[in-house]
Amino acid sequence: TSSHWSDMRAMQDLYQGSDGQSYVMEWNVIPGLSVLHGRGADPETCDGTRNRYAVHFSHYSIDHGVTKKNAGPADRPIIAMEWLAEYRNKCFNAFRNEDEPANPQQPQEAAEQQQQVEPPQPQPQPSPQAPQPEKPAIYTFFSPDPNDANMAGMSPQANVALIQAWAQAWASNGFNPVVLSIENAMNHPDYQEMNRIMDGLPFGYYDRLCF
């Protein structure tokens, strides 16, 4: 029996114990160490991250990746947002250039074709009361440890900055970021039963929150 357990180890145990049948594993989140290599958003990075969902800037990636001198876990929000800004600037432009037609029209030819096209007919405008499509929600969970102000090696201010960076990154891509708290968990009908099950297990406060 391990003296320390976690949600990650529990998921690994379930997967291995079921011969990979307990859940479907997809590699759509890139480890932060794969992009913190010191080359920035170069063509290889752009190609390797295309059509992926997210990058996980973990403690390990900050400690072992190529970052600013003396960077630590508290610098994760700044490192992540700076990387995303460079990624949008370089990789998005590269993607757009790839999607452009291989043989663009000459200006004169395009102008002649435009003259031959009939002007578009006015389209009915939607009513001001028409419902707008809802943005898809993306969820995360955070609850500070009352007995450890520097939970997970980060100060309260750094944790707030990290949550804000997470929300900003998803909101800028059309999502509605929602941060759940321990109060939301306590409203679940199985909350007390889940707590009872974990009372006898080697979980600290942080790992208990991960479940």
Side-chain angles (χ1 to χ4, degrees):
T1 303
S2 173
S3 59
H4 176 74
W5 203 243
S6 68
D7 58 326
M8 181 180 69
R9 292 184 179 181
M11 295 298 290
Q12 291 173 343
D13 190 39
L14 287 172
Y15 194 79
Q16 295 169 359
S18 67
D19 293 326
Q21 300 300 311
S22 57
Y23 56 87
V24 176
M25 185 182 298
E26 296 186 2
W27 300 99
N28 288 316
V29 177
I30 303 170
L33 199 59
S34 298
V35 300
L36 296 178
H37 41 51
R39 303 191 306 273
D42 61 353
E44 182 179 349
T45 301
C46 293
D47 184 63
T49 55
R50 189 168 189 172
N51 298 325
R52 299 298 183 93
Y53 295 161
V55 177
H56 180 205
F57 291 98
S58 64
H59 287 63
Y60 184 87
S61 66
I62 302 301
D63 290 337
H64 295 83
V66 180
T67 58
K68 296 179 179 179
K69 186 177 181 180
N70 299 325
D75 300 301
R76 283 199 294 171
I78 297 175
I79 292 173
M81 295 309 293
E82 288 181 347
W83 185 89
L84 284 171
E86 183 180 5
Y87 178 81
R88 291 192 186 98
N89 182 44
K90 294 184 178 179
C91 296
F92 280 16
N93 288 336
F95 298 156
R96 281 194 291 267
N97 291 337
E98 291 176 5
D99 294 336
E100 287 180 354
N103 298 311
Q105 294 177 327
Q106 296 298 323
Q108 182 177 359
E109 179 184 352
E112 292 177 352
Q113 290 187 5
Q114 185 175 6
Q115 292 176 358
Q116 297 174 2
V117 176
E118 295 183 1
Q121 298 298 318
Q123 299 295 322
Q125 297 298 315
S127 168
Q129 289 77 30
Q132 298 298 317
E134 292 186 6
K135 295 180 179 180
I138 181 74
Y139 296 90
T140 192
F141 174 89
F142 177 73
S143 182
D145 186 345
N147 300 314
D148 183 8
N150 295 322
M151 185 173 68
M154 297 176 62
S155 67
Q157 295 80 8
N159 275 315
V160 171
L162 184 61
I163 292 295
Q164 291 175 340
W166 172 86
Q168 180 182 342
W170 282 105
S172 65
N173 285 280
F175 284 81
N176 175 30
V178 179
V179 181
L180 301 176
S181 67
I182 190 65
E183 286 75 18
N184 297 110
M186 293 174 67
N187 287 331
H188 194 280
D190 295 331
Y191 175 79
Q192 296 297 338
E193 177 64 13
M194 190 71 174
N195 261 344
R196 185 192 65 78
I197 293 173
M198 291 193 294
D199 280 342
L201 300 177
F203 290 133
Y205 183 83
Y206 175 83
D207 290 319
R208 181 184 288 253
L209 290 178
C210 293
F211 285 90

